Amino acid sequence: MSIEVDMMKKVPVSEQDPKVRATNFDEVCLGYTEEEAMAEATRCLQCKNPKCVEGCPVSINIPGFIEKIKEGDHKAAYEIIGEASSLPAVCGRVCPQETQCEGVCIRGIKGEAVSIGKLERFAADWAGKQGIKPVKKADSKGQKVAVVGAGPSGLTCAGDLAKMGYEVTIFEALHKAGGVLVYGIPEFRLPKDEVVAKEIENVRSLGVEIKTDYIIGRSETIDELIDREGFSAVYIASGAGLPMFMHIPGEQALGVYSANEYLTRANLMKAYREDYDTPINTGKKTVIVGGGNVAMDAARTALRLGSDVTVVYRRSEKELPARAEEVHHAKEEGIKFALLTNPVEILEDEEGFVKGIKVIKMELGEPDESGRRRPVEVKGSEFEIECDTVIMSLGTTPNPLISSTTKGLDTNKRKCIITDEDTGATSREGVYAGGDCATGAATVILAMGAGRKAAKSIDLYLSGK
Amino acid sequence: MFKILEAEVLADKTYRMVVEAPNVAHSCEPGQFLIVRCEEESERIALTICDYDREKNTVTIVFQTIGESSYKIAEKKAGDFFEDVVGPLGNPAEYVTEPIEEVRKRHYLLVGGGLGTAPVYPQAKWLKEHGVDVDVIIGTKNKDTLIMEREMIEAVGEDHVFVTTDDGSYKRHGMVTAVIEDLVKNEGRKYDKCVSIGPMIMMKFCVKLTKELGIPTIVSMNPIMVDGTGMCGACRLIVGDEVKFACVDGPEFDGFLVDFDQAMKRMKLYKTEEGRRLLEYQEGNTHKGNCGNK
């Protein structure tokens, strides 16, 4: 091997130059070459009691697959990952590794953690290029399971159940499968054709049927799936729902979007491409309100559509909920951050279009129930930021379509479906739920973890029937 | 893919199509709508469900060409396919889920303005079929823009359909509000509930009048939508000082509570972009010489 490895540091990964990538939608991170991956794999200590596996929501055998990459047996590495994850090429790209596997990596105590995410991505991409597909092991059990929603949680649950031998149908409301992977996360972070479509194809190749344009709660209810269509169990993974707003003056002004709308237009409807019809109004100056991954995605999309972008966030940099890598990339690309700042009013011109946003300085006070220090307004510190577009990225509340049409399905005060944490079981027998519709907006990998858990519980439930 | 079985021009820029869409046809109710995506590159466009046939698995849509996307939909012919038809979306009209004995105690006044006549039709039909008293006002610019008069008469009877034209070129003369006043004040008709569907400006004035007359009024809102399933928030409206989403909370709302001025303002957003795209689309169509210019 020609790459010299500093055991304290990650083997660097190539990225598109920030100046260049700020003007295109191609993927930012180019991923490891085979040589780089094998070099990075030598940094793994092969711990007897691997903390990284505990840190992974789907418990991938991390030392196991890294060992295989080190040996150059990438197919075996891919198969080890496949035992736990149905969407490895996605997870390698979008998981918050720094707070999960890499966050507890022993190598990370003195130096930098092993680049587990990049290695996972390498194994998945390598298998994709070779055309290697996951394998279905079990014989058909002849029982039908319905999955509502073709996002990461639904796809994972469906993939796992299909591998166990169940006949699985996924019902997807949109015209395309993938959920947040296609409507939310942008192309430059997660390529749609090369990565997402391929992973979905892999799930299909296990025998899973995906029905798009099919709205459960409208076209058919959960009860009809069970009583009329003969499904023995249902997994609800309908995802996050309606965007939240701040309820400040001017929020109905023209040029105020939710991040969901902005990203859906750009990603799902491909508004950034000339050959697609969906319009997107991108102004010259955009303000993003919020500090999560979705806010970073919206900010970097607006930047690529030619806007000057400022992120307004009410706490300090340390509390930014976005992945460290996304914040780092956003800064490199030239996105400005107005931290400890909170909007009080959106200013409109005579025509009703956004002309600016009035914000107020904040300071951190005592910790609140989330453990983070509560931001408090600094009296008299209001100032204005000139802009023509405001994108609200404040989170979502669950979609009411299913809970309002399913009798006996309990929800909590935030309208999330109540589930048993260990099994995903809901208040209705044979009906399970997980992902954002149960937890509120969270991450792809947590949604996948819930999908795996539910698949196991559904198998137990149906085996006992 | 969803097959178009019939396609016809109803009036200038107004089209009617019958589409095979089992998922929509077998469960849709009056008050609901659907979304069409014409081709892979097309927008998702929310359209009115004008009729449905559960046996034949078909839905009837009626729409007007406004921008590029509706123009493309209008170019489709019988035998062609839509890439996607998804629905039913939105909530059914409130009387669909109310105890029918309660609904039968009421006299309904349905008001359809222009294209709004199309979504009023399944409501009129449903109410009549369920033995509910119903009168229908159809308002339109002139005789040539009038749609669905015959169907409406077939559904509720000649004595219960009142057509009015802005220019007086056919039947009554004047706005729908003039007809409502006439029916209530001069002809002594009594209504317990009004459903008004049409241009926002019409619904705004309709509600102003029915409020004076003390007739609770439902309006159907059709703001800009992207996904239509409760995700994007583009269709948000102010109803009774609260933010509501037309796709999952509506599309029908208590007309007395809707902030129409806000809603009309938000409709302006995509006008320029949409107009620009339409022009590009139409001009592009006439430019067929391979001169190298696009």
Side-chain angles (χ1 to χ4, degrees):
Chain A
M1 246 177 279
S2 60
I3 294 178
E4 212 167 292
V5 182
D6 175 349
M7 283 300 161
M8 288 300 120
K9 282 191 173 152
K10 290 180 176 184
V11 171
V13 67
S14 330
E15 288 176 350
Q16 260 201 86
D17 181 82
K19 282 205 187 89
V20 177
R21 71 181 193 238
T23 62
N24 69 44
F25 276 83
D26 298 338
E27 196 171 12
V28 169
C29 175
L30 304 175
Y32 279 147
T33 60
E34 183 177 15
E35 211 179 18
E36 287 164 349
M38 288 171 73
E40 178 66 16
T42 62
R43 296 184 61 235
C44 177
L45 296 167
Q46 293 293 319
C47 305
K48 285 245 157 53
N49 179 16
K51 292 273 177 251
C52 51
V53 181
E54 286 170 33
C56 172
V58 296
S59 311
I60 292 174
N61 176 2
I62 293 167
F65 91 77
I66 292 181
E67 181 71 11
K68 290 296 169 194
I69 291 179
K70 193 172 115 188
E71 292 167 7
D73 189 354
H74 310 314
K75 183 162 183 279
Y78 173 72
E79 283 165 1
I80 291 172
I81 300 170
E83 286 165 13
S85 169
S86 304
L87 311 167
V90 171
C91 290
R93 287 170 167 86
V94 304
C95 270
Q97 288 99 4
E98 73 268 20
T99 58
Q100 298 175 352
C101 52
E102 295 182 22
V104 289
C105 174
I106 302 300
R107 185 57 96 186
I109 294 172
K110 279 190 183 150
E112 287 178 356
V114 175
S115 203
I116 300 168
K118 301 283 184 289
L119 289 174
E120 178 186 25
R121 171 184 163 161
F122 165 77
D125 287 357
W126 182 90
K129 277 189 202 116
Q130 311 289 317
I132 296 170
K133 297 213 172 282
V135 273
K136 185 174 178 167
K137 290 170 199 151
D139 293 335
S140 173
K141 288 195 193 321
Q143 276 164 307
K144 283 165 61 176
V145 180
V147 172
V148 182
S153 198
L155 287 168
T156 300
C157 185
D160 281 9
L161 287 166
K163 282 183 199 162
M164 296 173 195
Y166 293 97
E167 280 173 44
V168 187
T169 307
I170 306 183
F171 297 91
E172 168 56 47
L174 292 175
H175 57 262
K176 218 175 191 135
V180 73
L181 309 176
V182 294
Y183 77 72
I185 302 175
E187 179 77 18
F188 55 83
R189 207 146 78 75
L190 186 63
K192 306 301 158 220
D193 292 342
E194 304 91 88
V195 179
V196 181
K198 268 190 196 161
E199 301 253 63
I200 291 168
E201 218 26 68
N202 285 347
V203 174
R204 276 207 180 94
S205 73
L206 293 168
V208 172
E209 188 189 357
I210 304 179
K211 286 189 176 173
T212 53
D213 291 331
Y214 209 110
I215 307 179
I216 300 304
R218 292 277 186 238
S219 265
E220 234 160 358
T221 61
I222 298 287
D223 289 289
E224 284 166 340
L225 288 178
I226 297 167
D227 300 337
R228 200 161 69 192
E229 306 286 334
F231 286 99
S232 310
V234 180
Y235 179 60
I236 304 169
S238 52
L242 294 160
M244 295 204 269
F245 289 90
M246 290 185 78
H247 304 287
I248 55 171
E251 244 175 345
Q252 289 289 95
L254 301 174
V256 181
Y257 297 88
S258 74
N260 266 9
E261 178 185 355
Y262 195 79
L263 290 171
T264 300
R265 284 180 185 274
N267 300 326
L268 177 71
M269 307 311 295
K270 301 199 187 328
Y272 69 92
R273 276 170 54 168
E274 276 294 313
D275 50 339
Y276 280 72
D277 297 340
T278 299
I280 193 161
N281 276 17
T282 291
K284 292 193 176 69
K285 286 188 174 200
T286 304
V287 164
I288 317 285
V289 182
N293 286 318
V294 176
M296 296 306 124
D297 286 344
R300 297 169 70 199
T301 299
L303 180 95
R304 281 161 173 76
L305 289 169
S307 185
D308 172 88
V309 184
T310 305
V311 172
V312 169
Y313 178 60
R314 63 194 181 130
R315 300 182 205 248
S316 73
E317 172 142 12
K318 211 172 80 202
E319 288 86 15
L320 276 172
R323 285 174 78 207
E325 182 174 325
E326 308 311 325
V327 177
H328 169 71
H329 279 156
K331 282 186 175 167
E332 271 188 345
E333 288 162 13
I335 284 164
K336 289 169 264 185
F337 285 79
L339 300 166
L340 288 167
T341 306
N342 205 30
V344 286
E345 182 184 356
I346 295 163
L347 310 164
E348 309 175 34
D349 66 13
E350 315 77 57
E351 295 273 304
F353 285 87
V354 172
K355 66 169 185 184
I357 185 164
K358 191 197 253 182
V359 293
I360 188 162
K361 286 266 183 205
M362 309 291 277
E363 58 191 10
L364 293 179
E366 294 301 309
D368 61 14
E369 62 275 15
S370 75
R372 297 180 298 178
R373 292 174 65 194
R374 186 194 300 275
V376 199
E377 290 185 355
V378 178
K379 273 220 173 87
S381 67
E382 288 96 340
F383 66 102
E384 289 176 17
I385 303 173
E386 191 197 323
C387 62
D388 47 24
T389 305
V390 174
I391 301 174
M392 291 292 184
S393 181
L394 307 159
T396 56
T397 53
N399 193 312
L401 276 187
I402 289 175
S403 48
S404 67
T405 56
T406 312
K407 278 203 187 103
L409 187 69
D410 292 347
T411 55
N412 64 19
K413 63 173 191 290
R414 291 185 301 139
K415 304 269 171 64
C416 296
I417 299 172
I418 298 172
T419 59
D420 180 293
E421 221 175 287
D422 296 325
T423 62
T426 67
S427 53
R428 284 279 309 264
E429 193 193 328
V431 179
Y432 297 75
D436 284 4
C437 71
T439 58
T443 59
V444 168
I445 187 70
L446 285 172
M448 290 179 58
R452 291 212 78 197
K453 249 185 228 167
K456 276 185 203 146
S457 317
I458 289 170
D459 181 41
L460 270 176
Y461 167 70
L462 292 179
S463 306
K465 248 192 159 178
Chain B
M1 300 286 268
F2 297 80
K3 193 173 186 181
I4 300 159
L5 303 178
E6 294 172 35
E8 61 168 329
V9 182
L10 287 187
D12 183 35
K13 289 186 181 155
T14 308
Y15 300 78
R16 174 184 168 277
M17 289 181 181
V18 178
V19 188
E20 212 168 54
N23 301 346
V24 187
H26 85 92
S27 59
C28 65
E29 300 285 2
Q32 293 184 299
F33 62 97
L34 52 74
I35 277 183
V36 168
R37 205 169 63 115
C38 195
E39 311 278 355
E40 167 58 30
E41 300 78 20
S42 305
E43 282 183 85
R44 294 167 66 95
I45 298 290
L47 297 175
T48 278
I49 300 175
C50 173
D51 204 357
Y52 47 87
D53 188 325
R54 303 221 201 277
E55 242 101 89
K56 292 185 184 145
N57 282 328
T58 60
V59 288
T60 305
I61 53 172
V62 170
F63 61 95
Q64 267 170 354
T65 47
I66 308 163
E68 185 194 16
S69 294
S70 48
Y71 203 89
K72 278 188 183 169
I73 294 174
E75 283 180 343
K76 294 273 182 184
K77 295 181 179 54
D80 291 347
F81 291 84
F82 287 132
E83 188 73 27
D84 301 281
V85 176
V86 61
L89 295 159
N91 296 301
E94 55 180 8
Y95 51 76
V96 172
T97 48
E98 285 174 318
I100 193 67
E101 317 80 62
E102 288 304 310
V103 180
R104 285 200 186 112
K105 287 180 192 158
R106 300 179 199 139
H107 288 254
Y108 272 80
L109 174 63
L110 307 186
V111 182
L115 191 68
T117 311
V120 159
Y121 172 70
Q123 304 223 10
K125 202 169 136 184
W126 192 99
L127 288 167
K128 188 71 189 175
E129 280 172 4
H130 287 79
V132 184
D133 282 329
V134 56
D135 283 353
V136 180
I137 299 172
I138 303 176
T140 183
K141 261 187 218 152
N142 54 54
K143 192 168 188 284
D144 296 333
T145 56
L146 175 66
I147 57 166
M148 306 194 66
E149 184 194 18
R150 183 176 47 79
E151 291 88 339
M152 207 68 88
I153 289 173
E154 272 171 30
V156 300
E158 188 139 30
D159 300 342
H160 298 280
V161 178
F162 308 91
V163 177
T164 183
T165 50
D166 294 357
D167 65 353
S169 56
Y170 186 67
K171 298 211 169 159
R172 295 185 185 226
H173 185 184
M175 302 290 170
V176 292
T177 40
V179 183
I180 299 173
E181 273 201 294
D182 242 17
L183 293 177
V184 174
K185 290 185 179 162
N186 305 328
E187 300 179 28
R189 292 183 189 246
K190 284 197 166 54
Y191 299 107
D192 307 292
K193 200 97 191 187
C194 172
V195 179
S196 175
I197 310 178
M200 290 226 199
I201 189 81
M202 180 205 93
M203 294 192 284
K204 179 183 166 179
F205 283 102
C206 187
V207 162
K208 204 171 157 228
L209 174 65
T210 53
K211 206 170 189 174
E212 284 167 26
L213 298 172
I215 310 169
T217 300
I218 297 292
V219 295
S220 183
M221 304 302 283
N222 55 343
I224 292 164
M225 286 187 191
V226 185
D227 66 290
T229 63
M231 198 177 77
C232 78
C235 66
R236 62 187 187 274
L237 302 159
I238 305 288
V239 181
D241 290 331
E242 266 185 84
V243 176
K244 294 278 182 188
F245 300 97
C247 68
V248 292
D249 298 323
E252 299 195 343
F253 292 100
D254 180 345
F256 295 172
L257 299 178
V258 171
D259 186 336
F260 286 102
D261 294 334
Q262 282 272 17
M264 281 190 273
K265 194 182 78 177
R266 282 189 62 77
M267 292 295 278
K268 283 199 301 200
L269 184 56
Y270 286 95
K271 274 202 174 151
T272 358
E273 173 87 351
E274 204 169 55
R276 194 178 59 77
R277 289 244 186 191
L278 177 61
L279 259 176
E280 211 177 86
Y281 181 66
Q282 288 172 326
E283 310 248 303
N285 242 359
T286 58
H287 186 89
K288 289 201 169 109
N290 294 312
C291 66
N293 287 326
K294 257 199 150 181

